[in-house]
Amino acid sequence: MQINSYDKRCNQPSFEKFIKITGPNHKINHFRTKLNSQTDKFLTLKINKKEHKTILYLFSGKDADKYIDLAIKYQPYNVRNNVKKYMAKNPISMKVEKALSKLKTNYFSKKK
C-alpha cells in the first residue's frame, strides 16, 4: 500500500484590496471581463444606480471573507446596497479609465 502525503504551507499572506470603481455600465462590463480573464482572486459586486452610473466593488483576501460573513449575518440586500456602511474601512475609489490603465500594469495581481 502506498501512502502519499502533501505538505505545503499555506501561510502566505493574502493580499487585501477593497476597491470601488465607478463609470458607465458598458465600460464596467468591459473592465470586469478583462479582470476575470487575468485573475480570479477577486469577488466582484456590481450595482447599477442609473443607466450611466454603475459601481463595481472588488473584494479580495480577508475583505472578501468579511463581506461574505456580513451578507450571511445581515440581510444580503441591505449589505449589497450599503457596502460602505457595513465594511469597517473605506474603499479605494477610482474611475473605470484609471482602473483599466492599472489593469495593464498588473496592479490588481500585486500584493498590497
Side-chain angles (χ1 to χ4, degrees):
M1 176 156 92
Q2 182 180 7
I3 299 174
N4 294 329
S5 100
Y6 182 71
D7 184 22
K8 181 180 177 185
R9 301 203 180 234
C10 295
N11 60 356
Q12 297 174 348
S14 64
F15 64 101
E16 296 178 36
K17 291 190 179 178
F18 177 36
I19 302 172
K20 175 184 174 183
I21 301 172
T22 56
N25 191 20
H26 66 282
K27 288 186 180 182
I28 292 287
N29 288 336
H30 177 69
F31 171 77
R32 195 177 190 185
T33 56
K34 281 192 166 199
L35 179 70
N36 287 337
S37 67
Q38 281 190 0
T39 182
D40 60 344
K41 297 179 180 179
F42 283 97
L43 172 71
T44 60
L45 174 66
K46 182 177 141 186
I47 301 172
N48 294 326
K49 292 291 185 181
K50 294 181 182 176
E51 179 65 28
H52 299 288
K53 184 174 181 180
T54 302
I55 299 172
L56 179 71
Y57 287 104
L58 301 177
F59 302 95
S60 66
K62 292 180 183 177
D63 290 328
D65 295 337
K66 183 172 182 178
Y67 175 77
I68 292 170
D69 290 340
L70 287 171
I72 292 170
K73 185 176 180 181
Y74 302 104
Q75 293 179 349
Y77 180 78
N78 291 338
V79 176
R80 176 185 168 87
N81 288 329
N82 300 313
V83 175
K84 289 169 63 175
K85 176 183 170 186
Y86 285 98
M87 295 295 284
K89 62 182 183 178
N90 288 330
I92 300 169
S93 297
M94 63 178 71
K95 299 283 184 185
V96 71
E97 291 84 11
K98 184 177 179 182
L100 280 168
S101 67
K102 287 189 177 234
L103 187 63
K104 292 178 185 175
T105 63
N106 293 329
Y107 172 77
F108 296 102
S109 61
K110 293 179 185 176
K111 292 183 179 178
K112 188 176 180 183

